[in-house]
Amino acid sequence: MAEKVLMKGNEALAESAIRAGCRFFFGYPITPQTELAAYMAKRMPKEGGTYLQAESEIAAINMVYGASACGARVMTSSSSPGVSLKSEGVSYMAGADLPGLIINVQRGGPGLGSIQPSQSDYWQATKALGHGDFQMIVYAPSTVQEMADCAYNAFDVADKYRMPVMILADGMLGQMMEPVVLPEPKTELPEKPWACTGHKFEREHNIANSLYLTAEELDRLNVERFERYEIVKQNEQLAESVMVEDADIVVVAFGASARIARSAVVSARKEGIKAGLIRPITLWPFPTDAIKETLGTAKVYLSVEMNMGQMVDDVRLTVNGQAPVEFFGRTGGVIPSPAEVLSKIEEINGKVGA
Amino acid sequence: MEKETKIVFQRPHALLPVVTNYCPGCVHGIVNRLVAETLDELEIEGKTIGVAPVGCSVMSYKFFGCDMIEAAHGRAPAVATGAKRTNPDNIVFAYQGDGDLASIGMAETVHAATRGEHITIIFINNAIYGMTGGQMAPTSLPNQVTQTSPYGRDVSTAGYPVRVCELLSSLDGPAYIERVCCDTPANVRKAKKAIKKAFQYQIDGIGYSFVEVVATCPTNWGMTPQAAFEWRRTNMLPYYPLGVYRDVVAEGYANAAEAAFARAADCPLVTGGGAQ
Amino acid sequence: MSRELRVVLAGFGGQGVLFAGKVIATAGLIEDRELSWLPSYGPEMRGGTANCSVCLSDEPIGSPLVLDPDVLIAMNQPSFDKFVDAVVPGGLIIADTTLVPTIKERDDVTLCMVDAQQIAEAAGLKGLGNIVMVGKLFEQTGFCERETLDAAIDHCVPPKRAAMIEMNKKALELGMNA
């Protein structure tokens, strides 16, 4: 097995992306993501790759769009306010069926908000990053190791479905160091016959485009794209379930807040409270299968998030009225403490009379 | 009796046999053709990537025979940057109008230029938003009446037109900047020469190249094509003088980098001057 | 004290509290334990205070943010004042008296006062007060094997500054004996 190294989450994302074959990075500085860009600035030239500090987040994502259209394995990274600016380009990527990786190391919002960790871009990532009918695949790692694993796999998934993929991290995961085993560099990358590489008079010209002035044509393409999304939903859901088999209270939490929720669940078990944890690793597709498996046994669900309650909507849609769904969250950059999550679990336990 | 036939005029190979969406009298058709002729003559259609803008030439990805990318409004230089960086052996051009290039995309325009991206920008300046139906553009002239300057562009509130060639020529990145017009056969030939030179500079690795074509919009100016040509000659050409604004080769340099080095040679941090 | 460690290191930017935290975390890495290192970040680092949380454990670590540390290593007065009451009863506070002149007494924690920067400077190790503090932490808690600590220094000092390795190790010794 490869050696364990100590790395920041932001750096692990970057190194792992390079090992996944990414050779093009376009970005713009913003806290708390900057280490990622700095790491790329250092490493890319040594790998024969391109690091380009764009004039804006908008330019950066459009460079990603152009590079992707030409067949590059390409990414950008930012933090919440910067990701809002990228939304234009992401929508165009979705409309032109272009793959690429967008990383959001979230901070508190709205507006300039804070620079402390947050999960308040859940809605943006899973429902509405940009205009129009489209989805991105969204990964929510919760350890530095998982940051590396997600970045390593994200490009393959993006290429497979020709979709933009997002890794939704946060300031805590980006800044913290943990031991990580880095993956082996990929050598085989997929062919992209659709890419704009010059037709050499050997084929029709390729076009990367999202404009369709005929309503019926755009309608048909959108329907086709959503058929593809259904396949993604079937194939790509990821979640970790911990002690849910006999759990009365199923806590649902992702990313950084899942780490805290896990500590609280372990403490609750020590008190004799039957608590468990479902940790979505993909936020879209939302891991409905993992939640549905607990529908017969769980008495109540508790969504724990670093926001005012966003993923809780998806938990409610999945549970669909078959059990109560509660919420606990902190915002603004406050990381909830295991103790406060535990007391919420205790409070709920008292209510359901387990 | 067999007569020897000689083809004197035909559709360029790089211009596809499709119906364009351009209005009668519009000069986009001429410039599309000039670009396509250039791709043919330089034998680069097979390795060229074109970037289409948002504006009247938004559908040009269907007109040019090379590989094409449709960009978001104003982002063509960023998209072209991504394309060129991915495959530096490809020839990459962006074809943009004034709203796209000088208003919503000004940041992308200036920064691609100052980075000295090895791309070619063809800029159609007709002093109005055509696609959306005749609103004031960043290059609309003082007192020019448009849908959104119905009393004429009041410079005290709407400011002054952007002169893009002049602006970009203050940067070190560009290798070649020229403003042309295509109102007469002689000027069409000059425009063609400029466009061809712009692509040639990219092929030769000399640097970023930019050609502005002062154009007309008979539809949204509310004139016949002939009157529009006259209006352009009377009003636009004095404001947007034709000519070469930058040509590092004519200035005696091998490329833009060498010229940039020479200009700033007194700064001890500036090094190089040759290899890009 | 158990080898379970949840420590907050705090001081001025430039005192090397993040580096000291990294040495502790690296000791955990070398011993193949669970660990996390989380720095404060952002504008507060520019000339202001810096702090980091380090956790070493044999169980997976939940929150890497330590709000109620077992150990506080305070290298200046504002940091001491900020975190002194957060330390759990039975915990440990190591204060660098060079820059923490005013000690708030707590009778439910162990308080170690080390004149770390002074000690380092006197030994010709200017700027290594942070590592003196790590030495003291080791002496008080035994959070890793002795040889691991030296290995962590070898690991953390960048190759370009290899000359600093022996100085860092000397600073550790000074801390252990302080």
Side-chain angles (χ1 to χ4, degrees):
Chain A
M1 192 166 108
E3 192 196 356
K4 260 189 199 174
V5 291
L6 197 55
M7 252 183 154
K8 280 193 168 193
N10 282 335
E11 295 169 345
L13 285 168
E15 179 58 35
S16 197
I18 290 171
R19 290 172 184 234
C22 174
R23 289 295 177 275
F24 297 90
F25 178 93
F26 302 98
Y28 187 87
I30 185 170
T31 306
Q33 157 282 161
T34 305
E35 293 83 6
L36 204 170
Y39 191 92
M40 287 298 196
K42 223 175 183 176
R43 283 279 279 118
M44 275 301 192
K46 296 187 174 160
E47 293 292 331
T50 293
Y51 165 86
L52 199 162
Q53 184 166 317
E55 58 271 30
S56 69
E57 302 283 7
I58 299 173
I61 191 67
N62 282 285
M63 289 171 190
V64 168
Y65 174 90
S68 176
C70 295
R73 195 158 259 211
V74 57
M75 69 180 285
T76 184
S77 68
S78 190
S79 179
S80 309
V83 173
S84 292
L85 286 170
K86 289 187 197 298
S87 65
E88 173 192 83
V90 173
S91 171
Y92 280 69
M93 286 172 73
D97 295 316
L98 294 177
L101 174 62
I102 298 103
I103 290 175
N104 182 357
V105 183
Q106 291 170 98
R107 56 190 254 184
L112 264 181
S114 80
I115 57 167
Q116 298 305 319
S118 165
Q119 297 180 324
S120 53
D121 302 343
Y122 178 93
W123 279 336
Q124 185 195 52
T126 59
K127 322 278 183 211
L129 182 58
H131 61 283
D133 261 336
F134 77 93
Q135 294 285 356
M136 295 182 297
I137 295 170
V138 183
Y139 291 105
S142 79
T143 63
V144 174
Q145 182 65 56
E146 216 169 38
M147 298 272 256
D149 297 344
C150 285
Y152 192 63
N153 294 326
F155 294 97
D156 290 340
V157 174
D159 284 345
K160 181 176 177 187
Y161 298 104
R162 288 185 61 181
M163 289 174 69
V165 172
M166 173 173 276
I167 294 177
L168 192 67
D170 63 68
M172 185 175 102
L173 292 167
Q175 294 290 330
M176 69 186 284
M177 285 201 286
E178 275 185 328
V180 56
V181 178
L182 292 164
E184 287 301 310
K186 284 186 183 166
T187 47
E188 296 277 309
L189 299 182
E191 293 287 317
K192 296 179 178 175
W194 48 263
C196 294
T197 53
H199 60 56
K200 302 176 186 71
F201 301 101
E202 291 163 359
R203 56 163 169 77
E204 292 283 292
H205 71 156
N206 282 340
I207 298 172
N209 172 48
S210 63
L211 176 68
Y212 298 92
L213 292 178
T214 314
E216 287 73 18
E217 194 184 0
L218 183 54
D219 177 52
R220 181 179 60 76
L221 282 166
N222 281 333
V223 169
E224 274 177 23
R225 194 169 293 121
F226 272 71
E227 284 165 5
R228 189 160 15 116
Y229 291 165
E230 282 306 312
I231 297 168
V232 175
K233 282 187 195 172
Q234 284 166 26
N235 293 347
E236 303 297 335
Q237 287 184 30
L238 288 174
E240 183 192 13
S241 298
V242 184
M243 298 183 286
V244 292
E245 294 77 10
D246 65 337
D248 295 326
I249 303 171
V250 171
V251 179
V252 186
F254 69 96
S257 56
R259 300 176 66 109
I260 289 114
R262 183 193 298 258
S263 299
V265 163
V266 169
S267 302
R269 282 276 171 175
K270 284 182 188 154
E271 292 177 7
I273 299 172
K274 286 185 180 173
L277 173 71
I278 293 176
R279 180 173 71 84
I281 301 170
T282 52
L283 300 180
W284 196 93
F286 192 66
T288 51
D289 295 349
I291 291 178
K292 282 178 183 164
E293 277 173 26
T294 62
L295 272 181
T297 48
K299 289 181 179 162
V300 59
Y301 292 83
L302 169 64
S303 189
V304 176
E305 306 171 49
M306 280 147 58
N307 58 44
M308 289 301 289
Q310 300 190 12
M311 181 179 70
V312 65
D313 288 356
D314 284 330
V315 178
R316 287 203 177 103
L317 282 169
T318 309
V319 171
N320 200 18
Q322 295 187 54
V325 178
E326 304 263 352
F327 169 75
F328 179 79
R330 297 298 302 269
T331 77
V334 177
I335 300 169
S337 73
E340 53 189 353
V341 177
L342 176 61
S343 51
K344 183 72 183 180
I345 292 173
E346 288 165 348
E347 177 201 317
I348 292 171
N349 191 53
K351 270 200 283 191
V352 297
Chain B
M1 181 177 146
E2 274 198 21
K3 230 181 157 185
E4 197 180 324
T5 57
K6 188 180 168 203
I7 297 170
V8 292
F9 191 80
Q10 65 180 347
R11 177 183 56 79
H13 185 273
L15 199 60
L16 298 176
V18 294
V19 177
T20 74
N21 59 310
Y22 302 131
C23 303
C26 174
V27 298
H28 267 306
I30 298 172
V31 186
N32 278 197
R33 183 186 167 93
L34 297 181
V35 170
E37 283 180 359
T38 299
L39 299 186
D40 281 8
E41 289 166 23
L42 297 174
E43 297 178 346
I44 52 172
E45 182 197 329
K47 62 170 184 174
T48 294
I49 319 293
V51 181
V54 171
C56 285
S57 48
V58 67
M59 303 301 293
S60 62
Y61 62 85
K62 289 190 172 176
F63 310 155
F64 291 112
C66 57
D67 281 359
M68 291 294 296
I69 306 173
E70 172 59 46
H73 197 22
R75 317 300 174 218
V79 173
T81 296
K84 186 70 177 182
R85 296 293 183 113
T86 299
N87 297 312
D89 292 337
N90 283 142
I91 301 302
V92 178
F93 77 94
Y95 186 104
Q96 302 179 260
D98 43 54
D100 192 81
L101 182 140
S103 191
I104 196 167
M106 187 53 116
E108 287 79 3
T109 293
V110 169
H111 284 273
T114 200
R115 281 194 306 270
E117 294 293 339
H118 285 211
I119 57 176
T120 299
I121 308 279
I122 307 297
F123 169 39
I124 308 299
N125 175 11
N126 60 7
I128 205 155
Y129 282 79
M131 185 68 148
T132 45
Q135 295 78 31
M136 185 182 77
T139 54
S140 291
L141 295 176
N143 300 313
Q144 184 181 339
V145 173
T146 71
Q147 193 187 60
T148 51
S149 55
Y151 310 110
R153 179 176 186 155
D154 178 353
V155 294
S156 72
T157 55
Y160 296 90
V162 181
R163 292 170 300 141
V164 180
C165 286
E166 289 84 341
L167 181 76
L168 295 185
S169 59
S170 75
L171 304 172
D172 283 337
Y176 174 59
I177 298 172
E178 182 165 356
R179 182 183 285 132
V180 297
C181 188
C182 46
D183 57 342
T184 63
N187 275 344
V188 170
R189 278 197 295 277
K190 267 194 195 166
K192 165 75 178 294
K193 220 175 127 189
I195 289 170
K196 198 166 170 180
K197 190 171 181 177
F199 277 90
Q200 190 64 52
Y201 272 34
Q202 184 181 164
I203 294 167
D204 296 341
I206 296 169
Y208 172 96
S209 53
F210 183 95
V211 176
E212 171 176 343
V213 183
V214 181
T216 59
C217 183
T219 299
N220 288 298
W221 290 0
M223 298 174 194
T224 64
Q226 291 85 343
F229 270 47
E230 194 49 45
W231 193 90
R232 166 172 57 182
R233 216 166 286 144
T234 310
N235 300 302
M236 284 186 81
L237 294 186
Y239 210 97
Y240 299 113
L242 305 184
V244 176
Y245 285 80
R246 188 173 176 82
D247 183 347
V248 294
V249 174
E251 290 161 26
Y253 302 104
N255 53 43
E258 213 178 88
F261 173 68
R263 189 199 62 75
D266 290 344
C267 173
L269 289 180
V270 175
T271 58
Q276 280 254 2
Chain C
M1 188 175 278
S2 82
R3 299 211 314 158
E4 203 80 14
L5 188 72
R6 297 168 68 253
V7 53
V8 168
L9 301 98
F12 288 125
Q15 281 184 308
V17 295
L18 301 188
F19 183 81
K22 196 177 168 188
V23 170
I24 299 166
T26 301
L29 178 79
I30 292 167
E31 294 186 356
D32 202 22
R33 303 177 65 197
E34 300 286 342
L35 70 96
S36 66
W37 174 97
L38 179 72
S40 58
Y41 60 85
E44 65 181 42
M45 284 170 67
R46 317 273 178 263
T49 57
N51 69 73
C52 67
S53 301
V54 179
C55 302
L56 296 183
S57 177
D58 297 317
E59 302 293 324
I61 289 156
S63 180
L65 176 67
V66 178
L67 298 168
D68 48 350
D70 304 327
V71 180
L72 168 65
I73 294 181
M75 296 200 54
N76 67 10
Q77 190 70 49
S79 299
F80 181 89
D81 296 344
K82 184 174 176 186
F83 293 107
V84 60
D85 292 325
V87 179
V88 295
L92 169 68
I93 298 176
I94 307 175
D96 181 350
T97 48
T98 312
L99 282 175
V100 187
T102 313
I103 297 293
K104 178 187 168 180
E105 295 289 342
R106 268 186 64 178
D107 53 16
D108 56 347
V109 298
T110 308
L111 184 62
C112 293
M113 287 180 281
V114 183
D115 201 1
Q117 291 187 70
Q118 204 58 52
I119 290 171
E121 269 198 67
L125 305 174
K126 194 170 189 296
L128 290 181
N130 59 336
I131 302 302
V132 172
M133 299 292 268
V134 175
K136 188 67 186 174
L137 173 72
F138 173 79
E139 186 257 328
Q140 286 288 310
T141 64
F143 68 87
C144 66
E145 299 299 326
R146 176 65 188 84
E147 59 270 25
T148 306
L149 209 48
D150 279 347
I153 293 289
D154 292 337
H155 202 283
C156 289
V157 176
K160 266 192 277 181
R161 300 176 141 211
M164 294 291 290
I165 290 177
E166 285 316 309
M167 295 168 79
N168 274 274
K169 288 179 182 173
K170 200 170 154 200
L172 280 178
E173 283 292 337
L174 289 174
M176 286 175 216
N177 299 320

